Amino acid sequence: MTATAPAPSPARAARATAYLPRLALVLAALLASLFTAASPATAHAALTASDPKDGAVVATAPAQVTLSFSEQVAMGDDSIRVMDPQGKRVDTGELRDMCSGSTVRYGTALHTGLPNGTYTVAWQAVSADSHPVSGAFTFSVGAPSATSVSLPDRQVGGGPVGVVYDIARYAAYAGFTVLVGGAAFILLCWRRGSAERPLQKLVVRGWVTLTAATLAMLVLRTPYTGSGKFADAFDLDGLQAVLETKTGASFVSRLLLLGAAALFIAVLFGAYARRQKVAAETGSEGTDRTRSASTEAEAEAEAGAGAGADEATDAEAADEAKKETSDLAFGLAIGGTVVAGGIAATWALAEHASTGIQPGIAMPVDILHLLAVATWLGGLVALLVALHKVPDIEREAVQRFSKVAFISVLVLAVTGVYQSWRQLGSWSALTDTSYGRLLIIKVSLVAVLVAIAYLSRKWTGRLGEVRSTGGAEAGAPVEEPAEVLAGADVSRETSSGSDADPRRAAQLARQRAAREKARDKQVRDADPGRAGLRRSVLAEAGVAVVLLAVTTVLTSTEPGRAAQLETNRSAAGPAVPNRAVKITLPFDTGGQNGKGTVRLELDPGRVGANTLHLWADGEDGKPLDLPEIKIAFTLPAKEIGPLPVAPDRDAPGHWSASGVQLPLAGEWRIDVTVRTSDIDQTTVQKNVKIG
């Protein structure tokens, strides 16, 4: 909402706003269907290659299993598990960090002497934007076989734990929005609201919700990224491991900042609220004194200079109190902005903004985006509470919120455009990826919200007109319901004996409360502009709830840029290393001293001319001078090869060849034939990607 606009006719505006709550219910139903159909959260990082590859059949058991990812991930010693056909683990349980430059690769060593059969590799990791990823695949040694290991059908981050964790994530965003938006509404739009109990409850509940949700996510982080069992939430070792991660550090930082936010709330609703109440009472007394003096001219003449001196003293005291209140408000605004920005940073530093391109720009932009959303939507909720619970909220407060909301929407639009460009990367990602489709829904909801806000601005223009012409204007008597008047008569008749009868005193207190409530309701309902504004703001708040939910789902969805990159890499096959191809192949010719390994390096590992180096080592790790070694390259997909290569012996156990030509890109099979005696010979092979 912004400044006032031409007021609509009451009948037409009432008909328009009567349907707004129904619109909010429809959007809530759409939200429910969205969550029902939503799949488990997909993360930023994705598996791009593995060695051995999924479904591969290798001649001999590999020495290790390696996995390559599209983005940086966090893995532990138990993150990669390799099981034999009987389900027994055959890996050493030691994680090998093989990352180099832009290549993100991890591996685990396998035990020696593995028999032929089908092996299962199960892995899980946490991407750099805090979301868990997992998967599984199989490869075979010698030939495929039956296996008792079934591939997991549950994605990490799913199941009941995933549902509870997602609810806590949504509650955290909602609590942050209400906490920041409610406090901003009080300081920027309606400072007198700091002394109003309904607004105090709203902001405190926002703080409690955010704190409880953060604690819940902290304790559920271990099962959420691991086993998926609620019992693991009480695993202290797992909790310690979480605290050592970037996500755990963000949770702890948020809790510390929430401690500072508690101090901010105590000052806002304590010292500041008391000063606002005193200032309001002082202003009311001054107004009453002026009105009384104007009707009693003779009393003013008799008071003379003494009354003038008292008024001067009161004016100085009022100015001093106003200055102190303004200074405190300024301090609260600065401190609150710092705390709110710090809490917003705990999301920016641990989620999508911290990964991908331009993180140095994306994180500050994300902080501004979160603050703008909270100021707008949280302030909207605070305005709704004030309109329903506080009948005498000033028209100026609503107009000030209009301006604050307008600025928030501008910031939201600018930062949102940048974030959309950064996360999508192309126009096609809007319709081809889940992230893009959710973004379209979010933009549509924002458009609906702005359209409803346009009606709210019109109702804001009617507030002053009704107060100046209607029967509910200041000083006009309010016609109370008959039953309340009857209760008031009884109250007056028996007030003298109320002290002696506690039961009667309680009855009178209830009657007085009912009378005050009826009066407030009548004052509130006597203003059609206020009633229309309440309905439109209620509809805005309903749409805001749905918008916040869609935003929560969006933060746990793989960005369109990463999704398209993953799709392109999948279509192109395994990732192509941006360096020399290096492979290690164990061999066993079956004869005396027939066991060892060959290490092959193909540089640069690209189409065209390459330089090949090969080293042979015995079981003792020393160079093994073989009588003969042959190498051949085959591209089965194009029916090219085998292309033989006869390397030259450079030194004992070392051979090389230059100008090795590979004409096409693709999945090449390298066959290495090793002869250790006149009759002992074997061939080992491995597939590599040549770009």
Side-chain angles (χ1 to χ4, degrees):
M1 297 187 300
T2 56
T4 60
S9 65
R12 186 176 63 180
R15 286 195 301 270
T17 53
Y19 293 98
L20 294 180
R22 301 179 189 177
L23 174 62
L25 292 177
V26 172
L27 291 174
L30 292 176
L31 171 65
S33 64
L34 174 66
F35 274 123
T36 302
S39 59
T42 55
H44 204 151
L47 182 69
T48 57
S50 64
D51 187 10
K53 63 182 294 187
D54 184 14
V57 179
V58 296
T60 59
Q64 64 181 1
V65 170
T66 61
L67 306 176
S68 299
F69 296 91
S70 60
E71 299 286 348
Q72 190 60 248
V73 296
M75 305 187 79
D77 288 338
D78 203 40
S79 295
I80 304 176
R81 295 175 294 134
V82 184
M83 281 78 71
D84 65 10
Q86 289 73 40
K88 180 182 177 181
R89 288 189 63 170
V90 296
D91 60 279
T92 62
E94 179 184 357
L95 184 70
R96 295 182 175 180
D97 186 347
M98 307 171 67
C99 300
S100 176
S102 60
T103 302
V104 180
R105 182 180 290 112
Y106 291 90
T108 185
L110 304 181
H111 295 301
T112 58
L114 298 182
N116 291 349
T118 298
Y119 292 79
T120 303
V121 180
W123 59 271
Q124 63 182 41
V126 178
S127 66
D129 57 2
S130 79
H131 302 302
V133 288
S134 63
F137 63 91
T138 62
F139 70 92
S140 300
V141 177
S145 69
T147 176
S148 62
V149 181
S150 58
L151 297 180
D153 56 359
R154 184 190 70 84
Q155 288 288 332
V156 64
V161 170
V163 172
V164 175
Y165 191 90
D166 289 339
I167 292 174
R169 180 189 285 121
Y170 174 79
Y173 278 114
F176 173 76
T177 300
V178 172
L179 171 62
V180 174
F185 177 80
I186 292 172
L187 288 174
L188 298 177
C189 306
W190 195 38
R191 294 184 176 181
R192 186 171 66 83
S194 61
E196 297 293 341
R197 191 69 174 170
L199 287 181
Q200 292 178 354
K201 290 181 179 179
L202 178 69
V203 175
V204 171
R205 285 170 182 169
W207 182 91
V208 171
T209 300
L210 178 55
T211 303
T214 302
L215 287 172
M217 287 190 290
L218 180 61
V219 298
L220 289 175
R221 187 67 185 176
T222 298
Y224 176 68
T225 59
S227 64
K229 299 177 181 178
F230 282 105
D232 288 342
F234 304 99
D235 183 2
L236 296 181
D237 292 335
L239 180 60
Q240 181 179 358
V242 168
L243 294 176
E244 295 174 354
T245 64
K246 181 172 66 173
T247 304
S250 71
F251 288 152
V252 173
S253 300
R254 189 181 303 166
L255 291 172
L256 293 175
L257 288 166
L258 283 170
L263 178 61
F264 167 84
I265 293 173
V267 176
L268 178 64
F269 297 145
Y272 184 74
R274 286 193 297 269
R275 293 188 181 184
Q276 282 293 328
K277 185 178 294 186
V278 170
E281 292 174 353
T282 302
S284 176
E285 292 173 359
T287 303
D288 293 341
R289 184 182 295 111
T290 302
R291 185 182 298 113
S292 176
S294 64
T295 58
E296 300 179 3
E298 294 180 359
E300 181 179 348
E302 293 177 0
D310 292 340
E311 290 181 3
T313 303
D314 292 342
E316 292 177 0
D319 291 341
E320 183 66 23
K322 184 177 180 180
K323 183 179 182 302
E324 293 178 358
T325 303
S326 299
D327 292 342
L328 182 56
F330 179 78
L332 285 172
I334 296 298
T337 302
V338 172
V339 173
I343 296 176
T346 61
W347 275 289
L349 294 173
E351 296 194 350
H352 285 162
S354 62
T355 62
I357 63 173
Q358 300 179 351
I361 300 175
M363 286 188 286
V365 168
D366 193 52
I367 292 172
L368 286 176
H369 191 80
L370 287 171
L371 292 177
V373 170
T375 303
W376 181 25
L377 302 186
L380 197 64
V381 175
L383 176 60
L384 178 63
V385 170
L387 289 171
H388 274 270
K389 300 293 185 180
V390 186
D392 59 341
I393 179 174
E394 295 85 355
R395 177 173 177 265
E396 291 75 13
V398 182
Q399 290 179 323
R400 281 192 290 268
F401 176 71
S402 298
K403 297 176 182 178
V404 171
F406 179 74
I407 295 173
S408 299
V409 171
L410 288 181
V411 175
L412 185 67
V414 174
T415 56
V417 168
Y418 170 78
Q419 287 182 322
S420 300
W421 167 81
R422 179 177 177 271
Q423 302 289 17
L424 287 175
S426 65
W427 288 107
S428 61
L430 270 174
T431 55
D432 295 343
T433 64
S434 298
Y435 188 94
R437 291 187 287 271
L438 281 171
L439 186 61
I440 292 175
I441 295 175
K442 179 181 177 180
V443 173
S444 301
L445 288 172
V446 171
V448 172
L449 201 57
V450 171
I452 300 175
Y454 178 73
L455 290 177
S456 298
R457 287 195 296 270
K458 291 191 173 184
W459 282 118
T460 302
R462 287 190 54 82
L463 292 179
E465 298 173 13
V466 174
R467 282 187 172 273
S468 62
T469 61
E473 61 185 350
V478 178
E479 182 180 353
E480 300 185 4
E483 60 273 15
V484 176
L485 289 174
D489 294 337
V490 174
S491 172
R492 286 192 293 269
E493 291 174 1
T494 59
S495 60
S496 59
S498 61
D499 296 337
D501 188 353
R503 183 179 302 177
R504 184 57 178 166
Q507 182 182 7
L508 294 175
R510 289 194 297 271
Q511 290 174 345
R512 284 193 296 269
R515 186 169 65 255
E516 292 174 359
K517 183 177 181 181
R519 180 185 293 110
D520 291 343
K521 185 177 184 301
Q522 187 170 2
V523 171
R524 191 170 62 235
D525 295 342
D527 187 347
R530 188 175 299 270
L533 181 61
R534 281 204 313 275
R535 287 194 295 269
S536 62
V537 172
L538 176 60
E540 285 187 73
V543 178
V545 170
V546 182
L547 176 62
L548 192 62
V550 173
T551 302
T552 304
V553 177
L554 199 63
T555 60
S556 61
T557 303
E558 184 177 22
R561 186 185 294 269
Q564 285 198 323
L565 180 62
E566 179 183 348
T567 301
N568 295 337
R569 285 175 171 171
S570 299
V576 181
N578 191 24
R579 56 190 176 89
V581 174
K582 298 180 181 180
I583 60 175
T584 300
L585 300 171
F587 66 86
D588 184 0
T589 61
Q592 185 178 6
N593 298 325
K595 292 184 178 181
T597 58
V598 291
R599 294 177 288 117
L600 184 146
E601 178 179 310
L602 190 66
D603 190 14
R606 299 283 180 177
V607 171
N610 292 266
T611 300
L612 183 146
H613 289 272
L614 187 142
W615 296 266
D617 300 316
E619 285 188 290
D620 56 1
K622 296 181 179 180
L624 182 62
D625 200 12
L626 300 172
E628 184 181 19
I629 192 165
K630 297 179 181 178
I631 304 170
F633 292 85
T634 305
L635 183 60
K638 301 294 184 180
E639 297 182 355
I640 297 177
L643 305 178
V645 175
D648 298 325
R649 180 178 178 275
D650 294 336
H654 180 205
W655 294 262
S656 66
S658 58
V660 177
Q661 292 288 337
L662 299 178
L664 296 175
E667 190 80 13
W668 286 81
R669 188 184 73 237
I670 302 178
D671 298 283
V672 180
T673 301
V674 179
R675 183 166 65 84
T676 56
S677 68
D678 292 340
I679 59 174
D680 298 319
Q681 176 177 303
T682 188
T683 299
V684 292
Q685 59 186 213
K686 195 165 190 177
N687 294 334
V688 298
K689 178 67 178 179
I690 301 298

